[in-house]
Amino acid sequence: MKALCSCMRFVALVLILNLFFQASYQLTELQVCNLCGGIILNSSAVGQFCFFSAGRIDGRCCLRNDTTNDPEHIIGLDLSNCSLTCVQDLQGASTAFMIDLSFNPIVNISDTAFQGFNKLNYMILPQNIDCPGSNTSWEKVEIKKGNRHCEGQRNMCNETGQLSMNCPENSLCAPFGPGFFECSCAENFRGYKCLREGEFPALQVFGPLAASTVVISVLLWATQRRKAKSL
Amino acid sequence: MLCHSFLSKTAFCLSSYVLLHASRKTFSNVKVSISAQWTPSILNDSSPAFSPGETWQDNRLFEDEKQATLFLGILDSIFLFSYALGLYLSGVIGDRVNLRYVLCFGLCGSAAVEFVFGTLTEWLHIYNLYLYSSLWVLNGLLQSAVWPCVVAVMGNWFGKAGRGFVFGLWSACASVGNILGAFLASSVLKYGYEYAFLVTSVVQFAGGVVVFFGLLTSPKEVGLSLESETGLGPIETDTDSHKPLMSDEEDEVEVEVYGRRGQSVEQPVEPPAESPQAIGFLKAFCLPGVLPYSLAYACLKLVNYSFFFWLPFYLSNNYKWKEAQADRLSVWYDVGGIIGGTLQGLISDFMGKRAPVLVVSLMLAIGALVGYSRSPNDQVINGVLLAITGFFIGGPSNIISSAISADLGRQDALRGSKEALATVTGIVDGTGSIGAAAGQVKMKKKSNWRIKQNEFGSMRTAGSIVFITPLLVRELRAMWTERRARQRQL
């Protein structure tokens, strides 16, 4: 009875911790939405995108969930007029389709800032900043009204047949943000550098081995050692 | 019943040694996979690193393949050194403790260490240089316990009669073990190199278990006794074995006894407990014949071990063949070695002389090495050249390791003293392995394996010839005088 009580206490503790971490994760996710004050205006590019995508505006983010079970994720981010000088890490915004960074005194954008943003299709940047991943990673780059518009992220993978040329053996290429690609292991391959193929047939190897060891040992003991006297 | 129990003893000892060599071969066969595991991916200069990092970059035990390869060579040397050291020590132990326990302990212990080395470190993702080195030292020490026990058990059970045949089988043992190890490793390599270690160590452990339950270490255990039972090992006290090889005696069977020995780091059994060391190390070293044979053996052993340790690595790096294919191809070297050892042993038995056969074979070996280094990128031709090279190198290596006991054991200074013979053989074998070990690291420092193997291999082979030449001269002179004596008789 006592054991059961302490066990249940333990389970309750785990559940509480779980909820706490989930809440704190959502908190971090929303941190980027509150990077600076104000909310998305309906007239802005992101605002209109949000409206057409049936998303919910929260601070500077446009959120949406794909199905009722999934948590909400960011599909649009409007950080214009935020007095940002340096863009390093937009945590939690990797699912965004559209990001607006216009009217910010940005000095530099870190190289890996948009790594993982494989859904990003439209960016608005100050005129003096190049599109992340260089202009060749985007279908269309134009300057409109003093802002640089980067449209249509290009797939960096050379699609020639099954396995692309960018990635080493046994791995497949997938887009991983503007100017990035990631190599994940192909079907049936796994492990470091995708060197390992298939599942080791443990039973088929060790079953017969164990059986034969036992049989031979018993046989030999019966015929040989049983007659042995201790020296 | 006696016959089949003899057979089972032979089978035990041979299979213990086979398993040992199989597990050693596993290490050389997975070198490509291991060094891939220890290094990050190589990139062209301009490309960024592959992502995700866990799959492509994060293992940075070594920064590039060259350093990883160097460390693998160091591991080989460490193993050889500790094996040589263990041989000296296990002689002492084997005398005092039950042979069955020592043999079982050696097999099972070594299997456990190999499991930790290859499989556990991978499953737990612990990559540590000191861990690897110390495990491999332990492995060398444990494996060194097996050979003397096996020799002692064989000595207990086999009198003079069957010994020639048995030792004849033995020379094939090491190569059979290599072949078995190559096949085991290459079949499971695709699942990951850790499974190659897992399979061979489990098989070896099973072998240890079978030995524990089935082995009778001496006929005394079942109340039998042999006529010429010695309990001392293959170095006999009977007068026949001490007749010099140089003379044309009809007991060439005895010569054959020492003509078939495993081709790697073995040593005949420890000196028996009763009598003390009859000859000190230094004195034994100064005996005629010891020095040339040691040096020749060191040279040859280096070449042999270079092939043993590095062939699959070289094949898959140079010709870009898959590691499993390279493993299977490396088997041909051992096949050539088996045939070479047996055939050349037979020839030298008929002739009654060792050195001429050795020198001829070594000279042809140089040619074979050169030819092999020019091998085209074709698996069939490469395999054939490998077999030829194995024939010409494995043969002399085998004979030298046996000719040592034969010739040196027949010197006047050692007559009637079995301890001294063991010491002398131990010195020569041990020095040979140490020389081979030291040479391993030196070789690995050079980057282009192929050229270096060619140069060093030929140099070393030539070195062996140089060292054997005085003995060759002596034997040829003896042959000439015998011929003339016989002609005068007619």
Side-chain angles (χ1 to χ4, degrees):
Chain A
M1 191 55 196
K2 233 185 176 178
L4 192 64
C5 259
S6 64
C7 182
M8 289 185 67
R9 231 175 288 163
F10 177 68
V11 171
L13 187 64
V14 169
L15 279 172
I16 293 174
L17 281 171
N18 224 4
L19 283 168
F20 177 70
F21 278 123
Q22 262 187 13
S24 70
Y25 176 64
Q26 277 169 353
L27 218 66
T28 3
E29 203 177 282
L30 299 176
Q31 247 179 25
V32 72
C33 300
N34 300 323
L35 209 57
C36 44
I39 62 167
I40 300 179
L41 304 168
N42 279 340
S43 54
S44 69
V46 181
Q48 289 190 335
F49 167 72
C50 203
F51 176 69
F52 284 121
S53 315
R56 169 181 81 87
I57 293 181
D58 180 5
R60 292 292 191 129
C61 300
C62 178
L63 303 165
R64 188 180 72 184
N65 54 353
D66 286 329
T67 61
T68 40
N69 289 337
D70 286 340
E72 283 185 326
H73 55 257
I74 298 177
I75 57 167
L77 190 61
D78 184 347
L79 293 175
S80 53
N81 262 322
C82 265
S83 352
L84 295 170
T85 47
C86 180
V87 179
Q88 284 211 313
D89 186 17
L90 299 171
Q91 262 226 16
S94 51
T95 46
F97 286 89
M98 187 177 204
I99 293 185
D100 187 344
L101 289 168
S102 52
F103 301 117
N104 284 306
I106 296 178
V107 171
N108 74 335
I109 300 185
S110 133
D111 282 334
T112 53
F114 293 104
Q115 201 176 41
F117 284 61
N118 48 338
K119 294 213 177 83
L120 192 55
N121 245 340
Y122 201 113
M123 282 194 80
I124 307 174
L125 298 163
Q127 194 174 342
N128 58 323
I129 302 289
D130 275 335
C131 290
S134 91
N135 292 343
T136 49
S137 316
W138 297 89
E139 297 281 356
K140 191 164 95 174
V141 178
E142 51 180 12
I143 314 252
K144 276 194 294 204
K145 300 183 202 160
N147 284 328
R148 191 181 292 267
H149 292 243
C150 315
E151 277 180 77
Q153 192 188 121
R154 275 218 188 109
N155 192 342
M156 297 306 295
C157 300
N158 302 336
E159 296 297 348
T160 52
Q162 265 282 50
L163 293 168
S164 63
M165 308 300 270
N166 307 63
C167 281
E169 257 188 79
N170 305 334
S171 59
L172 296 170
C173 187
F176 198 56
F180 298 107
F181 60 92
E182 82 170 343
C183 300
S184 28
C185 294
E187 178 85 37
N188 215 27
F189 287 91
R190 57 190 168 82
Y192 190 68
K193 291 187 184 168
C194 302
L195 288 170
R196 294 164 171 77
E197 180 182 356
E199 265 312 307
F200 180 69
L203 204 62
Q204 283 147 309
V205 171
F206 295 131
L209 188 65
S212 49
T213 308
V214 168
V215 165
I216 295 179
S217 306
V218 167
L219 215 71
L220 285 172
W221 185 80
T223 56
Q224 310 278 326
R225 277 220 63 82
R226 223 164 20 142
K227 307 167 201 144
K229 319 163 192 163
S230 54
L231 278 174
Chain B
M1 198 263 3
L2 220 61
C3 184
H4 105 74
S5 76
F6 277 164
L7 230 74
S8 67
K9 304 304 158 293
T10 323
F12 268 124
C13 295
L14 297 183
S15 38
S16 313
Y17 199 57
V18 162
L19 289 175
L20 221 58
H21 251 264
S23 58
R24 280 188 218 165
K25 194 76 168 103
T26 304
F27 180 61
S28 19
N29 279 5
V30 301
K31 276 183 175 157
V32 175
S33 299
I34 292 189
S35 63
Q37 184 74 29
W38 287 345
T39 53
S41 301
I42 27 159
L43 309 152
N44 303 330
D45 301 311
S46 50
S47 354
F50 290 123
S51 41
E54 309 86 57
T55 314
W56 302 104
Q57 304 295 331
D58 282 354
N59 285 3
R60 285 178 178 269
L61 189 63
F62 295 101
E63 280 309 317
D64 57 29
E65 280 222 353
K66 285 209 184 72
Q67 295 186 17
T69 312
L70 184 61
F71 180 65
L72 288 170
I74 292 178
L75 277 181
D76 287 332
S77 304
I78 287 178
F79 178 80
L80 282 177
F81 275 122
S82 63
Y83 188 85
L85 180 68
L87 281 177
Y88 294 126
L89 296 176
S90 56
V92 176
I93 300 174
D95 273 340
R96 292 157 224 281
V97 185
N98 187 345
L99 286 172
R100 187 166 61 104
Y101 292 154
V102 177
L103 187 56
C104 176
F105 179 68
L107 279 174
C108 295
S110 163
V113 169
E114 282 155 20
F115 172 75
V116 174
F117 177 90
T119 315
L120 213 60
T121 55
E122 175 58 34
W123 283 348
L124 299 177
H125 296 297
I126 303 176
Y127 308 113
N128 184 306
L129 296 182
Y130 300 110
L131 182 67
Y132 284 132
S133 311
S134 44
L135 282 175
W136 226 225
V137 166
L138 197 58
N139 193 22
L141 292 173
L142 286 166
Q143 287 204 357
S144 66
V146 172
W147 175 256
C149 291
V150 156
V151 167
V153 169
M154 296 295 265
N156 284 347
W157 277 96
F158 288 93
K160 260 172 51 187
R163 196 169 303 135
F165 169 66
V166 165
F167 275 92
L169 280 183
W170 219 325
S171 68
C173 237
S175 302
V176 169
N178 292 347
I179 295 175
L180 177 69
F183 272 118
L184 274 180
S186 60
S187 338
V188 294
L189 198 53
K190 66 172 190 166
Y191 301 115
Y193 76 88
E194 65 270 22
Y195 291 110
F197 278 107
L198 179 67
V199 170
T200 40
S201 58
V202 166
V203 170
Q204 195 179 317
F205 194 88
V209 167
V210 168
V211 159
F212 183 77
F213 282 112
L215 184 66
L216 293 166
T217 56
S218 112
K220 284 192 262 183
E221 276 193 332
V222 281
L224 299 167
S225 73
L226 290 180
E227 285 180 6
S228 51
E229 182 233 324
T230 59
L232 298 168
I235 295 90
E236 291 285 328
T237 44
D238 45 306
T239 49
D240 272 5
S241 65
H242 285 277
K243 296 225 178 74
L245 172 58
M246 314 304 185
S247 60
D248 254 359
E249 303 272 347
E250 78 250 283
D251 58 349
E252 239 110 46
V253 178
E254 278 314 293
V255 163
E256 237 204 19
V257 162
Y258 300 100
R260 307 272 180 271
R261 292 266 303 277
Q263 65 170 4
S264 58
V265 199
E266 61 279 16
Q267 193 190 10
V269 84
E270 56 287 322
E274 313 96 65
S275 357
Q277 296 272 338
I279 275 194
F281 256 34
L282 235 49
K283 249 186 161 181
F285 213 75
C286 296
L287 288 172
V290 174
L291 200 56
Y293 272 125
S294 311
L295 296 173
Y297 197 37
C299 294
L300 215 55
K301 204 167 221 171
L302 176 54
V303 176
N304 223 10
Y305 264 69
S306 307
F307 269 98
F308 176 63
F309 281 140
W310 292 101
L311 188 61
F313 186 81
Y314 159 66
L315 286 177
S316 64
N317 268 2
N318 210 34
Y319 298 113
K320 305 287 174 249
W321 295 335
K322 287 207 126 40
E323 198 179 10
Q325 277 181 327
D327 291 347
R328 298 235 169 91
L329 207 67
S330 67
V331 154
W332 288 107
Y333 182 77
D334 291 303
V335 172
I338 295 178
I339 302 176
T342 321
L343 216 62
Q344 290 176 16
L346 272 171
I347 295 176
S348 58
D349 278 347
F350 281 136
M351 283 179 61
K353 301 277 172 275
R354 304 273 183 222
V357 180
L358 291 184
V359 174
V360 169
S361 179
L362 287 173
M363 291 203 271
L364 292 172
I366 296 183
L369 276 172
V370 173
Y372 183 67
S373 66
R374 300 215 187 313
S375 158
N377 190 341
D378 176 65
Q379 293 201 2
V380 175
I381 298 184
N382 203 307
V384 168
L385 286 173
L386 257 184
I388 295 177
T389 314
F391 181 93
F392 286 122
I393 295 189
S397 176
N398 186 24
I399 295 179
I400 286 185
S401 68
S402 62
I404 293 169
S405 347
D407 291 347
L408 301 178
R410 287 147 175 72
Q411 295 186 38
D412 292 327
L414 296 181
R415 191 168 294 210
S417 161
K418 42 193 177 298
E419 302 85 355
L421 179 58
T423 313
V424 164
T425 321
I427 289 177
V428 177
D429 266 348
T431 321
S433 356
I434 290 180
Q440 286 295 321
V441 186
K442 194 159 174 240
M443 253 189 61
K444 272 312 120 230
K445 287 227 168 97
K446 321 280 181 161
S447 43
N448 195 337
W449 196 94
R450 179 176 154 190
I451 295 184
K452 290 315 151 193
Q453 174 64 343
N454 187 11
E455 280 180 20
F456 276 106
S458 313
M459 256 170 55
R460 293 283 182 265
T461 321
S464 333
I465 298 183
V466 164
F467 293 127
I468 303 183
T469 309
L471 299 154
L472 172 70
V473 167
R474 203 187 335 157
E475 281 191 357
L476 287 178
R477 214 180 287 156
M479 271 173 82
W480 185 246
T481 27
E482 282 158 27
R483 253 245 205 98
R484 299 212 9 221
R486 233 180 290 149
Q487 278 177 347
R488 259 187 245 127
Q489 278 180 358
L490 294 172

